[in-house]
Amino acid sequence: RSTDDGLRIFVQRVRELTKLYRKEHNWDNLVLENATKQLSELQGELFDIRAEWQLNTASEVGVTINGLPVTYDMAKQRLFCAGESAELKPVQGRINLRVLVDRVGIEIFANDGRLYVSYGYIPPPESTRGIAVWAKEGTAGIVSLKVAELNSIWKTE
């Protein structure tokens, strides 16, 4: 695609993933002020998470998935996860994240696929599992948050 930085490759997840959707959860227009919102109604290990953030005064925003934080640093305009980071510029004051959660890893598609990263990750014991969204040192809005619980692709007998 053509961008302000020249031609760039964008990566998207496959459409067929929606065939694995078991249950969907939606939240709109959430405001977080130096707070964490635990998404306690979610069940399972496999998720398709889509979040659109309105960047306001918070220094960081993010989502924690089974103990693994995916953090966006506003001042640095960088996305951090698993000890790695990548540049991610906001688009009209917003970023969007799509995170596919598997049993042994996560894939992150940011700003409609402009940034794609994949991490191997084995979650900690059940007691620390779950998903939360948060904002640090200020306010941030979540324009839209959609989480689909997924069925396994593997058939069991």
Side-chain angles (χ1 to χ4, degrees):
R1 293 184 191 171
S2 294
T3 71
D4 292 342
D5 298 321
L7 287 175
R8 296 292 183 260
I9 294 175
F10 283 60
V11 178
Q12 296 291 325
R13 56 102 183 136
V14 295
R15 283 187 292 261
E16 291 79 6
L17 182 69
T18 58
K19 293 179 181 179
L20 298 176
Y21 281 18
R22 180 166 39 102
K23 186 174 182 183
E24 293 184 72
H25 306 267
N26 297 294
W27 297 265
D28 292 313
N29 302 314
L30 296 174
V31 177
L32 299 173
E33 185 170 353
N34 200 28
T36 298
K37 176 173 178 48
Q38 188 69 38
L39 306 176
S40 57
E41 54 272 34
L42 300 175
Q43 302 294 317
E45 303 177 280
L46 311 171
F47 298 101
D48 181 2
I49 303 167
R50 294 160 286 167
E52 182 176 1
W53 291 89
Q54 174 64 51
L55 305 177
N56 297 331
T57 63
S59 63
E60 295 178 351
V61 297
V63 57
T64 300
I65 306 152
N66 297 331
L68 180 67
V70 176
T71 304
Y72 182 71
D73 184 306
M74 305 246 225
K76 295 178 182 174
Q77 294 188 345
R78 294 193 74 78
L79 187 70
F80 292 85
C81 184
E84 303 289 330
S85 74
E87 180 182 45
L88 181 63
K89 293 179 183 177
V91 177
Q92 297 178 340
R94 295 181 177 185
I95 61 164
N96 69 60
L97 300 177
R98 181 159 210 162
V99 183
L100 297 180
V101 181
D102 196 355
R103 288 186 181 97
V104 294
I106 65 168
E107 293 180 278
I108 302 169
F109 304 80
N111 286 355
D112 299 318
R114 182 175 182 131
L115 172 66
Y116 169 78
V117 290
S118 178
Y119 299 103
Y121 176 70
I122 298 176
E126 288 288 326
S127 62
T128 56
R129 294 219 176 156
I131 298 174
V133 291
W134 47 270
K136 206 176 194 183
E137 298 174 358
T139 63
I142 299 178
V143 177
S144 174
L145 175 61
K146 299 174 190 287
V147 181
E149 298 175 27
L150 303 176
N151 290 312
S152 175
I153 194 169
W154 304 107
K155 304 290 183 208
T156 57
E157 298 179 345

